[in-house]
Amino acid sequence: MTAPDATSPASPDTAPATSWRDSLAVYLQPRVLIVLFLGFSSGLPLALSGSTLLVWMREAGVDLKTIGLFALVGTPYTLKFLWAPLVDALHVPLFTRAFGRRRGWLLFSQMLLIVAILLLAMTDPARSPFYVALGALLVATTSSTQDIVVDAFRVESLPESEQAAGMAAYVAAYRIGMLVSTAGALFIVSGFESAGITRTSAWMWGYVVMAAMVLIGTITALVATEPEQSVRAEAATHEETAFTRVLQAAIGAFSEFLSRKDALVALAFVVLFKFTDAFSGTMTAPFVIDLGFTRNDYAAIVKGVGLAATLIGGFAGGFVARRYSLATSLWIGGVVQALANLTFSWLAVVGTNQWALALAICAENFTSAIGTVIFVAYLSALCQNPLHTATQYALLTALAAVGRTYLSSGAGFVASATGWPLFFVICVLVAIPSLVLLTYLQKRGHFEALGPVRV
């Protein structure tokens, strides 16, 4: 089955301007609201096997070496592309028949996620770190599986005119879900303790409450309708065996993408576009502490004020991507997220000033969110075949993580050698390769080949 034919042959580089009213109205479309609530469900579990769990373990007296090893339980998030073909190709008994190809997998993964969180809630870090690790690994695996399905559902269910708005809503709700499972979960645990419940039981019931909140995504999946693209893909492969469908999803996802013009350049662009963010973001925390700010300053300004700037920037990114062509939007996102690093160079000169820190953090988070929304709209446009949307999207996000995980690992050495003001100037310069690739792809007609992807 080939990708669906484009239905509105608009030029990807020129289109009539969109008013603010139209840009805001798109966020109230039912499909966008569905994606928003699914974004909350995706963001909720991440901290439950990460930072929130580490707080629980430290309070239980687990040693720092063991806690450090728990970073490995996040591995499923980086390897999820390995089982994405199964999500694309296999049917879940009873669920697929009753709810459809995508919704069936979505409901199934959410049920498994609830069970995994409850199992983790029943463990005791002080007595059995091994079972805690096993529970956390199950949470990470089921959570990443839910992410695979939600990404595919979002790409397939939203028309081109709503892709960027859907992504902005998704990013905002994802961040809110993370906030609920970090600060929210800690407040809930403290509340249970204040009510006279022991600390161990308070943590258990805190995780039970988090498991119950997954039901927000479950209700959303029940209310949603199966994407038309998924229905057509299911009909096209209905007679094939499960093994054949899995093989086609795995091989087809690779071969179809690599057969495109300038595929390798596009993949390099995927790796490098957010590299400027990753390179500077790796050093943000030590930079803030080195300047003399306290942990409370970091928590209140970087995490608190920064979250607000991220949410606003996410919706601003949706407006930019809806108003301009995809190529133009990528230029805007790429340039502003790079230049925002200069505010940190300025902060390094100003020194310990809370207002200056708030301004720098707001600028960085706001522009980063704009770039993220536009970038993910581009990734969505690359996944045009509903037979393997989940597999292709998982592969692309894994590539995008290369800059964050590996290429930015040397940022500390650069900062040590140059000092903070010059380091953040270098963070601007590392964006140049991605902009060169963007120029090349634009001249080669890459964005025109994607079809009417202006959002």
PDB file of all heavy atoms in Angstrom, residues 273-274 276-277 280 306 309-314 316-317 329 332-344 359-375:
ATOM      1  N   PHE A 273      19.228  18.865  13.906  1.00  0.00           N
ATOM      2  CA  PHE A 273      18.391  20.056  14.049  1.00  0.00           C
ATOM      3  C   PHE A 273      18.296  20.527  15.496  1.00  0.00           C
ATOM      4  O   PHE A 273      18.347  21.719  15.785  1.00  0.00           O
ATOM      5  CB  PHE A 273      16.993  19.801  13.481  1.00  0.00           C
ATOM      6  CG  PHE A 273      16.097  21.010  13.544  1.00  0.00           C
ATOM      7  CD1 PHE A 273      16.255  22.045  12.634  1.00  0.00           C
ATOM      8  CD2 PHE A 273      15.115  21.139  14.509  1.00  0.00           C
ATOM      9  CE1 PHE A 273      15.454  23.182  12.686  1.00  0.00           C
ATOM     10  CE2 PHE A 273      14.304  22.262  14.579  1.00  0.00           C
ATOM     11  CZ  PHE A 273      14.470  23.291  13.656  1.00  0.00           C
ATOM     12  N   LYS A 274      18.137  19.620  16.453  1.00  0.00           N
ATOM     13  CA  LYS A 274      18.009  20.000  17.862  1.00  0.00           C
ATOM     14  C   LYS A 274      19.337  19.892  18.615  1.00  0.00           C
ATOM     15  O   LYS A 274      19.358  19.990  19.845  1.00  0.00           O
ATOM     16  CB  LYS A 274      16.969  19.105  18.548  1.00  0.00           C
ATOM     17  CG  LYS A 274      15.558  19.267  18.024  1.00  0.00           C
ATOM     18  CD  LYS A 274      14.975  20.647  18.321  1.00  0.00           C
ATOM     19  CE  LYS A 274      14.743  20.860  19.792  1.00  0.00           C
ATOM     20  NZ  LYS A 274      14.165  22.192  20.080  1.00  0.00           N
ATOM     21  N   THR A 276      21.818  22.011  18.811  1.00  0.00           N
ATOM     22  CA  THR A 276      22.149  23.234  19.530  1.00  0.00           C
ATOM     23  C   THR A 276      21.483  23.268  20.900  1.00  0.00           C
ATOM     24  O   THR A 276      22.086  23.697  21.888  1.00  0.00           O
ATOM     25  CB  THR A 276      21.742  24.480  18.702  1.00  0.00           C
ATOM     26  OG1 THR A 276      22.068  25.656  19.436  1.00  0.00           O
ATOM     27  CG2 THR A 276      20.252  24.487  18.386  1.00  0.00           C
ATOM     28  N   ASP A 277      20.249  22.796  20.972  1.00  0.00           N
ATOM     29  CA  ASP A 277      19.540  22.696  22.252  1.00  0.00           C
ATOM     30  C   ASP A 277      20.194  21.686  23.181  1.00  0.00           C
ATOM     31  O   ASP A 277      20.392  21.935  24.367  1.00  0.00           O
ATOM     32  CB  ASP A 277      18.088  22.259  22.010  1.00  0.00           C
ATOM     33  CG  ASP A 277      17.153  23.452  21.973  1.00  0.00           C
ATOM     34  OD1 ASP A 277      17.630  24.579  22.148  1.00  0.00           O
ATOM     35  OD2 ASP A 277      15.951  23.246  21.771  1.00  0.00           O
ATOM     36  N   SER A 280      23.727  22.800  24.667  1.00  0.00           N
ATOM     37  CA  SER A 280      23.657  23.765  25.766  1.00  0.00           C
ATOM     38  C   SER A 280      22.881  23.208  26.954  1.00  0.00           C
ATOM     39  O   SER A 280      23.225  23.459  28.110  1.00  0.00           O
ATOM     40  CB  SER A 280      22.995  25.064  25.287  1.00  0.00           C
ATOM     41  OG  SER A 280      21.669  24.821  24.865  1.00  0.00           O
ATOM     42  N   GLY A 306      10.471  28.075  33.782  1.00  0.00           N
ATOM     43  CA  GLY A 306      10.831  27.440  32.518  1.00  0.00           C
ATOM     44  C   GLY A 306       9.700  26.624  31.929  1.00  0.00           C
ATOM     45  O   GLY A 306       9.500  26.587  30.707  1.00  0.00           O
ATOM     46  N   ALA A 309       7.223  28.949  30.231  1.00  0.00           N
ATOM     47  CA  ALA A 309       7.762  29.417  28.955  1.00  0.00           C
ATOM     48  C   ALA A 309       7.686  28.324  27.897  1.00  0.00           C
ATOM     49  O   ALA A 309       7.417  28.590  26.715  1.00  0.00           O
ATOM     50  CB  ALA A 309       9.213  29.874  29.137  1.00  0.00           C
ATOM     51  N   THR A 310       7.905  27.066  28.308  1.00  0.00           N
ATOM     52  CA  THR A 310       7.826  25.950  27.372  1.00  0.00           C
ATOM     53  C   THR A 310       6.410  25.770  26.845  1.00  0.00           C
ATOM     54  O   THR A 310       6.205  25.552  25.647  1.00  0.00           O
ATOM     55  CB  THR A 310       8.297  24.655  28.064  1.00  0.00           C
ATOM     56  OG1 THR A 310       9.660  24.790  28.453  1.00  0.00           O
ATOM     57  CG2 THR A 310       8.182  23.471  27.115  1.00  0.00           C
ATOM     58  N   LEU A 311       5.431  25.861  27.732  1.00  0.00           N
ATOM     59  CA  LEU A 311       4.044  25.694  27.304  1.00  0.00           C
ATOM     60  C   LEU A 311       3.632  26.794  26.329  1.00  0.00           C
ATOM     61  O   LEU A 311       3.019  26.525  25.289  1.00  0.00           O
ATOM     62  CB  LEU A 311       3.119  25.697  28.527  1.00  0.00           C
ATOM     63  CG  LEU A 311       3.321  24.560  29.538  1.00  0.00           C
ATOM     64  CD1 LEU A 311       2.329  24.693  30.688  1.00  0.00           C
ATOM     65  CD2 LEU A 311       3.162  23.201  28.858  1.00  0.00           C
ATOM     66  N   ILE A 312       3.975  28.039  26.647  1.00  0.00           N
ATOM     67  CA  ILE A 312       3.633  29.158  25.763  1.00  0.00           C
ATOM     68  C   ILE A 312       4.364  29.012  24.426  1.00  0.00           C
ATOM     69  O   ILE A 312       3.791  29.226  23.352  1.00  0.00           O
ATOM     70  CB  ILE A 312       3.980  30.494  26.433  1.00  0.00           C
ATOM     71  CG1 ILE A 312       3.127  30.684  27.699  1.00  0.00           C
ATOM     72  CG2 ILE A 312       3.740  31.666  25.469  1.00  0.00           C
ATOM     73  CD1 ILE A 312       3.544  31.867  28.542  1.00  0.00           C
ATOM     74  N   GLY A 313       5.652  28.615  24.502  1.00  0.00           N
ATOM     75  CA  GLY A 313       6.423  28.431  23.279  1.00  0.00           C
ATOM     76  C   GLY A 313       5.877  27.326  22.404  1.00  0.00           C
ATOM     77  O   GLY A 313       5.917  27.415  21.167  1.00  0.00           O
ATOM     78  N   GLY A 314       5.337  26.281  23.027  1.00  0.00           N
ATOM     79  CA  GLY A 314       4.751  25.192  22.252  1.00  0.00           C
ATOM     80  C   GLY A 314       3.581  25.662  21.410  1.00  0.00           C
ATOM     81  O   GLY A 314       3.479  25.343  20.219  1.00  0.00           O
ATOM     82  N   ALA A 316       3.045  28.799  20.540  1.00  0.00           N
ATOM     83  CA  ALA A 316       3.586  29.743  19.567  1.00  0.00           C
ATOM     84  C   ALA A 316       4.167  29.002  18.369  1.00  0.00           C
ATOM     85  O   ALA A 316       4.019  29.434  17.216  1.00  0.00           O
ATOM     86  CB  ALA A 316       4.665  30.614  20.220  1.00  0.00           C
ATOM     87  N   GLY A 317       4.823  27.862  18.632  1.00  0.00           N
ATOM     88  CA  GLY A 317       5.341  27.043  17.546  1.00  0.00           C
ATOM     89  C   GLY A 317       4.227  26.522  16.658  1.00  0.00           C
ATOM     90  O   GLY A 317       4.369  26.452  15.428  1.00  0.00           O
ATOM     91  N   SER A 329       9.068  27.567   8.444  1.00  0.00           N
ATOM     92  CA  SER A 329       8.914  27.343   9.884  1.00  0.00           C
ATOM     93  C   SER A 329      10.170  26.724  10.476  1.00  0.00           C
ATOM     94  O   SER A 329      10.596  27.076  11.580  1.00  0.00           O
ATOM     95  CB  SER A 329       7.706  26.436  10.144  1.00  0.00           C
ATOM     96  OG  SER A 329       6.512  27.046   9.695  1.00  0.00           O
ATOM     97  N   ILE A 332      12.703  29.421  10.929  1.00  0.00           N
ATOM     98  CA  ILE A 332      12.396  30.252  12.098  1.00  0.00           C
ATOM     99  C   ILE A 332      12.776  29.513  13.382  1.00  0.00           C
ATOM    100  O   ILE A 332      13.461  30.056  14.257  1.00  0.00           O
ATOM    101  CB  ILE A 332      10.902  30.628  12.110  1.00  0.00           C
ATOM    102  CG1 ILE A 332      10.586  31.552  10.932  1.00  0.00           C
ATOM    103  CG2 ILE A 332      10.520  31.295  13.433  1.00  0.00           C
ATOM    104  CD1 ILE A 332       9.096  31.822  10.747  1.00  0.00           C
ATOM    105  N   GLY A 333      12.335  28.251  13.498  1.00  0.00           N
ATOM    106  CA  GLY A 333      12.637  27.478  14.698  1.00  0.00           C
ATOM    107  C   GLY A 333      14.123  27.249  14.881  1.00  0.00           C
ATOM    108  O   GLY A 333      14.651  27.366  15.998  1.00  0.00           O
ATOM    109  N   GLY A 334      14.827  26.917  13.794  1.00  0.00           N
ATOM    110  CA  GLY A 334      16.257  26.639  13.882  1.00  0.00           C
ATOM    111  C   GLY A 334      17.066  27.853  14.296  1.00  0.00           C
ATOM    112  O   GLY A 334      18.001  27.746  15.108  1.00  0.00           O
ATOM    113  N   VAL A 335      16.712  29.028  13.768  1.00  0.00           N
ATOM    114  CA  VAL A 335      17.473  30.246  14.069  1.00  0.00           C
ATOM    115  C   VAL A 335      17.207  30.725  15.494  1.00  0.00           C
ATOM    116  O   VAL A 335      18.145  31.029  16.246  1.00  0.00           O
ATOM    117  CB  VAL A 335      17.138  31.348  13.040  1.00  0.00           C
ATOM    118  CG1 VAL A 335      17.734  32.688  13.481  1.00  0.00           C
ATOM    119  CG2 VAL A 335      17.671  30.963  11.669  1.00  0.00           C
ATOM    120  N   VAL A 336      15.917  30.790  15.897  1.00  0.00           N
ATOM    121  CA  VAL A 336      15.622  31.359  17.221  1.00  0.00           C
ATOM    122  C   VAL A 336      16.116  30.457  18.349  1.00  0.00           C
ATOM    123  O   VAL A 336      16.591  30.958  19.385  1.00  0.00           O
ATOM    124  CB  VAL A 336      14.113  31.650  17.389  1.00  0.00           C
ATOM    125  CG1 VAL A 336      13.651  32.676  16.372  1.00  0.00           C
ATOM    126  CG2 VAL A 336      13.273  30.374  17.308  1.00  0.00           C
ATOM    127  N   GLN A 337      16.050  29.121  18.163  1.00  0.00           N
ATOM    128  CA  GLN A 337      16.521  28.248  19.236  1.00  0.00           C
ATOM    129  C   GLN A 337      18.037  28.318  19.379  1.00  0.00           C
ATOM    130  O   GLN A 337      18.576  28.094  20.467  1.00  0.00           O
ATOM    131  CB  GLN A 337      16.064  26.809  19.000  1.00  0.00           C
ATOM    132  CG  GLN A 337      16.727  26.094  17.848  1.00  0.00           C
ATOM    133  CD  GLN A 337      16.194  24.682  17.635  1.00  0.00           C
ATOM    134  OE1 GLN A 337      15.236  24.256  18.267  1.00  0.00           O
ATOM    135  NE2 GLN A 337      16.835  23.937  16.728  1.00  0.00           N
ATOM    136  N   ALA A 338      18.748  28.631  18.291  1.00  0.00           N
ATOM    137  CA  ALA A 338      20.201  28.798  18.369  1.00  0.00           C
ATOM    138  C   ALA A 338      20.573  30.127  19.024  1.00  0.00           C
ATOM    139  O   ALA A 338      21.400  30.177  19.942  1.00  0.00           O
ATOM    140  CB  ALA A 338      20.809  28.701  16.974  1.00  0.00           C
ATOM    141  N   LEU A 339      19.931  31.212  18.573  1.00  0.00           N
ATOM    142  CA  LEU A 339      20.273  32.537  19.095  1.00  0.00           C
ATOM    143  C   LEU A 339      19.933  32.689  20.567  1.00  0.00           C
ATOM    144  O   LEU A 339      20.559  33.494  21.279  1.00  0.00           O
ATOM    145  CB  LEU A 339      19.554  33.617  18.284  1.00  0.00           C
ATOM    146  CG  LEU A 339      20.007  33.781  16.831  1.00  0.00           C
ATOM    147  CD1 LEU A 339      19.185  34.858  16.140  1.00  0.00           C
ATOM    148  CD2 LEU A 339      21.498  34.106  16.756  1.00  0.00           C
ATOM    149  N   ALA A 340      18.970  31.936  21.059  1.00  0.00           N
ATOM    150  CA  ALA A 340      18.590  32.038  22.473  1.00  0.00           C
ATOM    151  C   ALA A 340      19.744  31.686  23.393  1.00  0.00           C
ATOM    152  O   ALA A 340      19.769  32.126  24.558  1.00  0.00           O
ATOM    153  CB  ALA A 340      17.400  31.118  22.761  1.00  0.00           C
ATOM    154  N   ASN A 341      20.718  30.915  22.917  1.00  0.00           N
ATOM    155  CA  ASN A 341      21.870  30.572  23.744  1.00  0.00           C
ATOM    156  C   ASN A 341      22.690  31.799  24.140  1.00  0.00           C
ATOM    157  O   ASN A 341      23.403  31.777  25.152  1.00  0.00           O
ATOM    158  CB  ASN A 341      22.771  29.572  23.003  1.00  0.00           C
ATOM    159  CG  ASN A 341      22.153  28.196  22.922  1.00  0.00           C
ATOM    160  OD1 ASN A 341      21.764  27.622  23.921  1.00  0.00           O
ATOM    161  ND2 ASN A 341      22.049  27.667  21.709  1.00  0.00           N
ATOM    162  N   LEU A 342      22.586  32.861  23.354  1.00  0.00           N
ATOM    163  CA  LEU A 342      23.332  34.079  23.672  1.00  0.00           C
ATOM    164  C   LEU A 342      22.846  34.714  24.969  1.00  0.00           C
ATOM    165  O   LEU A 342      23.592  35.459  25.617  1.00  0.00           O
ATOM    166  CB  LEU A 342      23.214  35.080  22.518  1.00  0.00           C
ATOM    167  CG  LEU A 342      23.879  34.658  21.205  1.00  0.00           C
ATOM    168  CD1 LEU A 342      23.651  35.712  20.127  1.00  0.00           C
ATOM    169  CD2 LEU A 342      25.374  34.395  21.403  1.00  0.00           C
ATOM    170  N   THR A 343      21.601  34.447  25.360  1.00  0.00           N
ATOM    171  CA  THR A 343      21.121  34.989  26.639  1.00  0.00           C
ATOM    172  C   THR A 343      21.886  34.376  27.813  1.00  0.00           C
ATOM    173  O   THR A 343      22.051  35.021  28.852  1.00  0.00           O
ATOM    174  CB  THR A 343      19.610  34.731  26.813  1.00  0.00           C
ATOM    175  OG1 THR A 343      19.344  33.320  26.800  1.00  0.00           O
ATOM    176  CG2 THR A 343      18.808  35.406  25.713  1.00  0.00           C
ATOM    177  N   PHE A 344      22.365  33.135  27.648  1.00  0.00           N
ATOM    178  CA  PHE A 344      23.171  32.520  28.693  1.00  0.00           C
ATOM    179  C   PHE A 344      24.576  33.131  28.730  1.00  0.00           C
ATOM    180  O   PHE A 344      25.170  33.255  29.807  1.00  0.00           O
ATOM    181  CB  PHE A 344      23.254  31.004  28.490  1.00  0.00           C
ATOM    182  CG  PHE A 344      21.999  30.282  28.866  1.00  0.00           C
ATOM    183  CD1 PHE A 344      21.283  29.563  27.929  1.00  0.00           C
ATOM    184  CD2 PHE A 344      21.527  30.312  30.173  1.00  0.00           C
ATOM    185  CE1 PHE A 344      20.121  28.895  28.273  1.00  0.00           C
ATOM    186  CE2 PHE A 344      20.370  29.648  30.524  1.00  0.00           C
ATOM    187  CZ  PHE A 344      19.655  28.939  29.578  1.00  0.00           C
ATOM    188  N   LEU A 359      14.933  35.575  32.766  1.00  0.00           N
ATOM    189  CA  LEU A 359      14.861  36.018  31.373  1.00  0.00           C
ATOM    190  C   LEU A 359      15.563  35.031  30.444  1.00  0.00           C
ATOM    191  O   LEU A 359      15.046  34.664  29.380  1.00  0.00           O
ATOM    192  CB  LEU A 359      15.476  37.409  31.243  1.00  0.00           C
ATOM    193  CG  LEU A 359      15.496  37.999  29.825  1.00  0.00           C
ATOM    194  CD1 LEU A 359      14.079  38.144  29.298  1.00  0.00           C
ATOM    195  CD2 LEU A 359      16.212  39.358  29.831  1.00  0.00           C
ATOM    196  N   ALA A 360      16.756  34.576  30.850  1.00  0.00           N
ATOM    197  CA  ALA A 360      17.514  33.637  30.021  1.00  0.00           C
ATOM    198  C   ALA A 360      16.785  32.305  29.883  1.00  0.00           C
ATOM    199  O   ALA A 360      16.695  31.737  28.784  1.00  0.00           O
ATOM    200  CB  ALA A 360      18.909  33.421  30.619  1.00  0.00           C
ATOM    201  N   ILE A 361      16.244  31.815  30.988  1.00  0.00           N
ATOM    202  CA  ILE A 361      15.525  30.542  30.960  1.00  0.00           C
ATOM    203  C   ILE A 361      14.265  30.647  30.109  1.00  0.00           C
ATOM    204  O   ILE A 361      13.940  29.747  29.326  1.00  0.00           O
ATOM    205  CB  ILE A 361      15.169  30.093  32.392  1.00  0.00           C
ATOM    206  CG1 ILE A 361      16.437  29.689  33.138  1.00  0.00           C
ATOM    207  CG2 ILE A 361      14.177  28.937  32.373  1.00  0.00           C
ATOM    208  CD1 ILE A 361      17.166  28.494  32.543  1.00  0.00           C
ATOM    209  N   CYS A 362      13.544  31.765  30.244  1.00  0.00           N
ATOM    210  CA  CYS A 362      12.332  31.955  29.447  1.00  0.00           C
ATOM    211  C   CYS A 362      12.665  31.991  27.951  1.00  0.00           C
ATOM    212  O   CYS A 362      11.969  31.379  27.135  1.00  0.00           O
ATOM    213  CB  CYS A 362      11.621  33.250  29.852  1.00  0.00           C
ATOM    214  SG  CYS A 362      10.710  33.124  31.403  1.00  0.00           S
ATOM    215  N   ALA A 363      13.725  32.714  27.609  1.00  0.00           N
ATOM    216  CA  ALA A 363      14.111  32.799  26.195  1.00  0.00           C
ATOM    217  C   ALA A 363      14.495  31.433  25.652  1.00  0.00           C
ATOM    218  O   ALA A 363      14.068  31.035  24.551  1.00  0.00           O
ATOM    219  CB  ALA A 363      15.282  33.781  26.044  1.00  0.00           C
ATOM    220  N   GLU A 364      15.280  30.680  26.426  1.00  0.00           N
ATOM    221  CA  GLU A 364      15.735  29.363  25.960  1.00  0.00           C
ATOM    222  C   GLU A 364      14.575  28.373  25.841  1.00  0.00           C
ATOM    223  O   GLU A 364      14.434  27.691  24.829  1.00  0.00           O
ATOM    224  CB  GLU A 364      16.805  28.839  26.932  1.00  0.00           C
ATOM    225  CG  GLU A 364      17.617  27.679  26.384  1.00  0.00           C
ATOM    226  CD  GLU A 364      16.939  26.340  26.597  1.00  0.00           C
ATOM    227  OE1 GLU A 364      16.115  26.238  27.530  1.00  0.00           O
ATOM    228  OE2 GLU A 364      17.208  25.397  25.823  1.00  0.00           O
ATOM    229  N   ASN A 365      13.738  28.291  26.867  1.00  0.00           N
ATOM    230  CA  ASN A 365      12.641  27.334  26.842  1.00  0.00           C
ATOM    231  C   ASN A 365      11.576  27.697  25.815  1.00  0.00           C
ATOM    232  O   ASN A 365      10.996  26.823  25.162  1.00  0.00           O
ATOM    233  CB  ASN A 365      11.999  27.224  28.233  1.00  0.00           C
ATOM    234  CG  ASN A 365      12.844  26.422  29.197  1.00  0.00           C
ATOM    235  OD1 ASN A 365      14.059  26.296  29.015  1.00  0.00           O
ATOM    236  ND2 ASN A 365      12.245  25.880  30.235  1.00  0.00           N
ATOM    237  N   PHE A 366      11.296  28.994  25.680  1.00  0.00           N
ATOM    238  CA  PHE A 366      10.299  29.447  24.718  1.00  0.00           C
ATOM    239  C   PHE A 366      10.723  29.102  23.289  1.00  0.00           C
ATOM    240  O   PHE A 366       9.953  28.522  22.515  1.00  0.00           O
ATOM    241  CB  PHE A 366      10.098  30.960  24.866  1.00  0.00           C
ATOM    242  CG  PHE A 366       9.114  31.557  23.905  1.00  0.00           C
ATOM    243  CD1 PHE A 366       7.750  31.428  24.121  1.00  0.00           C
ATOM    244  CD2 PHE A 366       9.554  32.256  22.793  1.00  0.00           C
ATOM    245  CE1 PHE A 366       6.839  31.991  23.229  1.00  0.00           C
ATOM    246  CE2 PHE A 366       8.650  32.813  21.900  1.00  0.00           C
ATOM    247  CZ  PHE A 366       7.290  32.678  22.115  1.00  0.00           C
ATOM    248  N   THR A 367      11.958  29.444  22.930  1.00  0.00           N
ATOM    249  CA  THR A 367      12.428  29.186  21.562  1.00  0.00           C
ATOM    250  C   THR A 367      12.639  27.695  21.318  1.00  0.00           C
ATOM    251  O   THR A 367      12.399  27.201  20.212  1.00  0.00           O
ATOM    252  CB  THR A 367      13.733  29.949  21.289  1.00  0.00           C
ATOM    253  OG1 THR A 367      14.720  29.583  22.272  1.00  0.00           O
ATOM    254  CG2 THR A 367      13.499  31.453  21.352  1.00  0.00           C
ATOM    255  N   SER A 368      13.086  26.973  22.347  1.00  0.00           N
ATOM    256  CA  SER A 368      13.270  25.535  22.197  1.00  0.00           C
ATOM    257  C   SER A 368      11.946  24.840  21.911  1.00  0.00           C
ATOM    258  O   SER A 368      11.870  23.924  21.082  1.00  0.00           O
ATOM    259  CB  SER A 368      13.909  24.949  23.464  1.00  0.00           C
ATOM    260  OG  SER A 368      13.996  23.543  23.380  1.00  0.00           O
ATOM    261  N   ALA A 369      10.887  25.275  22.587  1.00  0.00           N
ATOM    262  CA  ALA A 369       9.570  24.681  22.362  1.00  0.00           C
ATOM    263  C   ALA A 369       9.067  24.984  20.957  1.00  0.00           C
ATOM    264  O   ALA A 369       8.454  24.130  20.309  1.00  0.00           O
ATOM    265  CB  ALA A 369       8.582  25.188  23.404  1.00  0.00           C
ATOM    266  N   ILE A 370       9.330  26.191  20.466  1.00  0.00           N
ATOM    267  CA  ILE A 370       8.954  26.528  19.089  1.00  0.00           C
ATOM    268  C   ILE A 370       9.648  25.573  18.118  1.00  0.00           C
ATOM    269  O   ILE A 370       9.022  24.990  17.223  1.00  0.00           O
ATOM    270  CB  ILE A 370       9.333  27.994  18.759  1.00  0.00           C
ATOM    271  CG1 ILE A 370       8.441  28.953  19.537  1.00  0.00           C
ATOM    272  CG2 ILE A 370       9.213  28.259  17.260  1.00  0.00           C
ATOM    273  CD1 ILE A 370       8.804  30.417  19.345  1.00  0.00           C
ATOM    274  N   GLY A 371      10.955  25.406  18.302  1.00  0.00           N
ATOM    275  CA  GLY A 371      11.707  24.508  17.434  1.00  0.00           C
ATOM    276  C   GLY A 371      11.235  23.081  17.519  1.00  0.00           C
ATOM    277  O   GLY A 371      11.159  22.372  16.506  1.00  0.00           O
ATOM    278  N   THR A 372      10.881  22.632  18.727  1.00  0.00           N
ATOM    279  CA  THR A 372      10.446  21.250  18.915  1.00  0.00           C
ATOM    280  C   THR A 372       9.139  20.961  18.188  1.00  0.00           C
ATOM    281  O   THR A 372       9.006  19.952  17.487  1.00  0.00           O
ATOM    282  CB  THR A 372      10.278  20.942  20.414  1.00  0.00           C
ATOM    283  OG1 THR A 372      11.543  21.052  21.063  1.00  0.00           O
ATOM    284  CG2 THR A 372       9.732  19.535  20.623  1.00  0.00           C
ATOM    285  N   VAL A 373       8.162  21.853  18.339  1.00  0.00           N
ATOM    286  CA  VAL A 373       6.864  21.645  17.694  1.00  0.00           C
ATOM    287  C   VAL A 373       7.009  21.603  16.174  1.00  0.00           C
ATOM    288  O   VAL A 373       6.460  20.728  15.498  1.00  0.00           O
ATOM    289  CB  VAL A 373       5.874  22.751  18.121  1.00  0.00           C
ATOM    290  CG1 VAL A 373       4.616  22.715  17.262  1.00  0.00           C
ATOM    291  CG2 VAL A 373       5.500  22.584  19.580  1.00  0.00           C
ATOM    292  N   ILE A 374       7.776  22.525  15.623  1.00  0.00           N
ATOM    293  CA  ILE A 374       7.967  22.566  14.173  1.00  0.00           C
ATOM    294  C   ILE A 374       8.742  21.336  13.698  1.00  0.00           C
ATOM    295  O   ILE A 374       8.422  20.738  12.662  1.00  0.00           O
ATOM    296  CB  ILE A 374       8.700  23.860  13.776  1.00  0.00           C
ATOM    297  CG1 ILE A 374       7.832  25.073  14.112  1.00  0.00           C
ATOM    298  CG2 ILE A 374       9.048  23.855  12.293  1.00  0.00           C
ATOM    299  CD1 ILE A 374       8.556  26.397  14.038  1.00  0.00           C
ATOM    300  N   PHE A 375       9.747  20.953  14.461  1.00  0.00           N
ATOM    301  CA  PHE A 375      10.559  19.790  14.096  1.00  0.00           C
ATOM    302  C   PHE A 375       9.721  18.515  14.083  1.00  0.00           C
ATOM    303  O   PHE A 375       9.825  17.695  13.160  1.00  0.00           O
ATOM    304  CB  PHE A 375      11.714  19.653  15.080  1.00  0.00           C
ATOM    305  CG  PHE A 375      12.617  18.486  14.826  1.00  0.00           C
ATOM    306  CD1 PHE A 375      13.252  18.331  13.604  1.00  0.00           C
ATOM    307  CD2 PHE A 375      12.853  17.548  15.816  1.00  0.00           C
ATOM    308  CE1 PHE A 375      14.105  17.252  13.375  1.00  0.00           C
ATOM    309  CE2 PHE A 375      13.692  16.471  15.595  1.00  0.00           C
ATOM    310  CZ  PHE A 375      14.320  16.323  14.368  1.00  0.00           C
TER     311      PHE A 375
END
